[in-house]
Amino acid sequence: MIKKDSPIPIYYQLQELLKDLIEKGELGPGDAVPTEREYAEKFQISRMTVRQAFTQLVNEGYLHRIQGKGTFVADRKIEQPLYRLRSFTEDMVARGLKPGSQLISFEIIPASSQVASQLAIQEYAPVYEIKRIRLADDVPMALETSYISANLIKGLTEPIVKESVYSYIEEVLDLQIDHGSQIIESSVANQVEAKFLKIKKGAPIMLIQQQTFLKDETPVEYVKSSYRADRYKFMIEMKR
Amino acid sequence: MIKKDSPIPIYYQLQELLKDLIEKGELGPGDAVPTEREYAEKFQISRMTVRQAFTQLVNEGYLHRIQGKGTFVADRKIEQPLYRLRSFTEDMVARGLKPGSQLISFEIIPASSQVASQLAIQEYAPVYEIKRIRLADDVPMALETSYISANLIKGLTEPIVKESVYSYIEEVLDLQIDHGSQIIESSVANQVEAKFLKIKKGAPIMLIQQQTFLKDETPVEYVKSSYRADRYKFMIEMKR
DNA sequence: GAGTGGTCTAGACCACCCC
DNA sequence: GGGTGGTCTAGACCACTCC
């Protein structure tokens, strides 16, 4: 179980062991984890070493400690909704709005240097460029341009884009979208954004750039969106 | 410097001492921090205790360690993802900017209905209202108004506000800030914001409202901030 | 009072970096 | 080789929770 003569640190072995138990569901949210002293005794290691493993898992949000009581598997109640990556459609549904979409253009173009760097591909490599107006309750919510590597995601067609790109990637191609990073900034609408979003030029907009990744850090998609500030707010929760 | 007979843990005292040095600019990005053994010797404490302080500062993004070389003040990073709830000061340090603050006003006022509902207190109950200009590298970054229930957080004074409200709450009052929720939206600067932030009226700003909570969901603070859009981006990572 | 996590000690050896 | 951080030990006492 724990190899003391392994080059892998003991605290790390214990950490992975516990993660496994949690991820396999053998320890569910709220369950008490064996005490630090129990693990120290069981594996004949120092309690400080057990603490080192526990501490990291606490920092990663797997466990929480209560002095005098014990160590418990964390509820992911708060953590999950905050960090969950959603498609536009999922986001709107969660907000109680009816999602909609108008395709403006869909084509394969050579990647610009910016897009290439975001997708970690060669400049001029083929990418799908998908421009859409995103609607909520039939009113424009955002103007969105999405870039996807054509060499990674093959066979994307207009009908698929009108359905759901995420479903195609996850279900048809069986690639697992794992995480995304977003950069959010404020700006004001230019002429194009004003026209498509039906707002005045100079009206506030929220620019969101998003990269999405597979588990192995391969970038899948790069999206630039301009949201109407009068209709869209971004909410997140964070742990101290 | 370090009080060994204090009820405040030694590792925590050392942590704050180091944070101060960094925030006051006495230790700049890339500078080597005294070694673990040096601190252990200097304060006559165990090296493990020094490590505990260092480890937390590494996790918070203040320091980074290089095996065989030493421990260094973290480099400036342009876009630092926010995984955890940070004070303005912590946020700026993580971005490699020097945080600063100018107090505009500090008073006790009766809570408006909006503030009362955010803090889960009665309307007209006394709250501290703290208005500040937040600086990054000595240039205005945000205009911030913070509301704190005067019945929950007693004894807040101007000198404390000029130091660190979070430290006061967490260290002196021994209340543990646990999580926060933020609402981010885009807007344009009004006359007041334009004046304090030294931007033009109508320039884009990012409005961030934040509630912070203790573990038992008691709201501690409600903050409304207007960030200069040309200087501030919000970055977050999310799991699918 | 028994058990838990929180803090702390005074060492030890290892892996790594730099001279 | 000398110094750094990385890991680990085998204890100790404290604060807290629960009974």
Side-chain angles (χ1 to χ4, degrees):
Chain A
M1 236 168 177
I2 296 280
K3 293 175 195 166
K4 298 186 71 169
D5 55 355
S6 159
I8 300 166
I10 294 171
Y11 78 93
Y12 188 86
Q13 295 182 47
L14 179 54
Q15 213 174 288
E16 293 304 302
L17 190 154
L18 270 161
K19 266 195 199 174
D20 267 9
L21 289 178
I22 293 167
E23 279 162 13
K24 284 178 185 158
E26 294 180 33
L27 285 172
D31 287 0
V33 165
T35 68
E36 298 172 354
R37 285 170 178 84
E38 272 170 30
Y39 272 125
E41 172 68 20
K42 181 174 174 186
F43 298 122
Q44 288 297 300
I45 56 179
S46 162
R47 187 180 149 220
M48 285 298 279
T49 304
V50 178
R51 273 187 75 74
Q52 193 176 353
F54 276 33
T55 298
Q56 187 146 345
L57 292 172
V58 167
N59 288 334
E60 290 175 10
Y62 284 89
L63 302 178
H64 66 103
R65 297 199 259 223
I66 303 177
Q67 186 172 156
K69 288 187 73 175
T71 305
F72 304 86
V73 177
D75 292 340
R76 290 243 150 181
K77 269 184 209 160
I78 300 170
E79 294 273 323
Q80 278 203 342
L82 13 161
Y83 291 115
R84 225 181 73 105
L85 186 62
R86 290 193 178 119
S87 70
F88 176 85
T89 302
E90 290 163 349
D91 189 16
M92 290 306 112
V93 169
R95 289 162 189 262
L97 301 170
K98 181 166 73 82
S101 209
Q102 278 173 19
L103 190 62
I104 300 171
S105 67
F106 172 63
E107 46 189 335
I108 294 186
I109 60 167
S112 69
S113 70
Q114 191 214 5
V115 168
S117 97
Q118 295 289 326
L119 293 177
I121 57 175
Q122 293 292 317
E123 201 174 341
Y124 309 124
V127 293
Y128 297 104
E129 183 198 62
I130 307 161
K131 288 189 189 243
R132 282 182 282 202
I133 300 172
R134 295 295 207 168
L135 308 172
D137 287 350
D138 303 317
V139 180
M141 173 65 98
L143 180 64
E144 180 193 285
T145 307
S146 168
Y147 299 92
I148 297 172
S149 165
N151 290 328
L152 180 65
I153 308 298
K154 293 173 192 287
L156 206 55
T157 61
E158 204 167 306
I160 293 169
V161 168
K162 284 183 174 167
E163 273 299 308
S164 165
V165 175
Y166 270 35
S167 300
Y168 179 73
I169 293 172
E170 294 187 319
E171 287 155 36
V172 181
L173 297 184
D174 200 27
L175 295 173
Q176 203 189 342
I177 292 169
D178 183 67
H179 62 283
S181 84
Q182 304 197 321
I183 299 171
I184 302 162
E185 52 191 306
S186 288
S187 186
V188 290
N190 61 27
Q191 197 107 43
V192 175
E193 289 160 338
K195 179 187 143 204
F196 282 118
L197 295 175
K198 296 186 177 157
I199 53 178
K200 287 184 185 158
K201 192 181 159 187
I205 58 172
M206 189 179 286
L207 289 182
I208 301 183
Q209 295 176 66
Q210 177 172 293
Q211 272 178 291
T212 53
F213 301 88
L214 303 179
K215 205 158 215 162
D216 65 359
E217 301 294 333
T218 307
V220 177
E221 188 190 23
Y222 170 58
V223 189
K224 289 194 279 194
S225 310
S226 308
Y227 281 79
R228 278 176 58 161
D230 61 339
R231 302 199 70 206
Y232 193 78
K233 295 176 187 184
F234 198 93
M235 273 160 275
I236 58 169
E237 296 201 6
M238 286 185 285
K239 282 283 209 183
R240 172 70 170 157
Chain B
M1 241 171 175
I2 295 281
K3 294 175 193 164
K4 297 186 73 167
D5 55 354
S6 159
I8 299 166
I10 294 171
Y11 79 91
Y12 193 89
Q13 296 181 46
L14 178 55
Q15 211 174 290
E16 294 304 302
L17 190 154
L18 269 162
K19 268 194 198 176
D20 269 7
L21 288 178
I22 294 167
E23 281 163 13
K24 286 178 182 156
E26 295 179 34
L27 285 173
D31 286 0
V33 165
T35 68
E36 298 173 353
R37 284 169 179 87
E38 272 170 30
Y39 272 125
E41 172 69 20
K42 180 174 176 185
F43 297 122
Q44 288 297 300
I45 56 179
S46 161
R47 187 180 150 220
M48 285 299 278
T49 304
V50 179
R51 274 188 74 75
Q52 193 175 353
F54 276 32
T55 299
Q56 187 146 344
L57 291 173
V58 166
N59 288 337
E60 291 175 10
Y62 284 87
L63 302 178
H64 66 102
R65 295 198 261 224
I66 302 177
Q67 187 172 156
K69 286 188 72 175
T71 305
F72 304 87
V73 177
D75 286 334
R76 172 194 188 102
K77 281 172 199 159
I78 299 164
E79 286 143 2
Q80 176 81 11
L82 272 186
Y83 297 107
R84 306 191 83 79
L85 186 61
R86 291 197 178 115
S87 70
F88 176 83
T89 302
E90 290 163 349
D91 188 15
M92 289 306 111
V93 169
R95 289 163 189 261
L97 301 171
K98 181 166 74 82
S101 209
Q102 278 173 19
L103 190 62
I104 300 171
S105 68
F106 171 63
E107 46 189 334
I108 295 186
I109 60 168
S112 68
S113 68
Q114 191 215 6
V115 169
S117 95
Q118 296 289 326
L119 292 177
I121 58 176
Q122 294 292 317
E123 201 174 340
Y124 310 125
V127 292
Y128 298 105
E129 184 197 63
I130 306 162
K131 289 190 190 244
R132 280 182 283 203
I133 301 172
R134 296 296 207 166
L135 308 172
D137 286 350
D138 302 317
V139 179
M141 174 65 99
L143 180 63
E144 180 194 285
T145 308
S146 168
Y147 299 93
I148 297 173
S149 166
N151 291 327
L152 179 65
I153 308 297
K154 292 174 193 288
L156 205 55
T157 61
E158 204 168 307
I160 294 169
V161 167
K162 284 183 174 166
E163 274 298 310
S164 165
V165 174
Y166 270 36
S167 299
Y168 180 72
I169 293 172
E170 295 187 320
E171 289 157 39
V172 181
L173 298 183
D174 200 27
L175 295 173
Q176 202 189 343
I177 292 169
D178 185 67
H179 62 282
S181 83
Q182 304 197 320
I183 300 173
I184 301 164
E185 52 192 305
S186 287
S187 185
V188 290
N190 63 27
Q191 198 105 44
V192 176
E193 289 160 338
K195 179 186 143 206
F196 282 117
L197 295 176
K198 297 187 175 153
I199 53 178
K200 288 184 183 159
K201 192 180 160 187
I205 57 172
M206 189 179 284
L207 289 182
I208 301 184
Q209 295 177 66
Q210 177 172 292
Q211 273 177 290
T212 53
F213 301 88
L214 304 179
K215 210 159 218 164
D216 64 0
E217 300 295 334
T218 307
V220 176
E221 187 189 25
Y222 171 57
V223 188
K224 289 195 278 195
S225 310
S226 309
Y227 281 80
R228 278 175 59 160
D230 61 339
R231 302 198 71 205
Y232 194 79
K233 295 178 186 182
F234 199 93
M235 188 174 178
I236 180 151
E237 300 214 351
M238 288 185 284
K239 284 277 193 186
R240 174 69 171 155

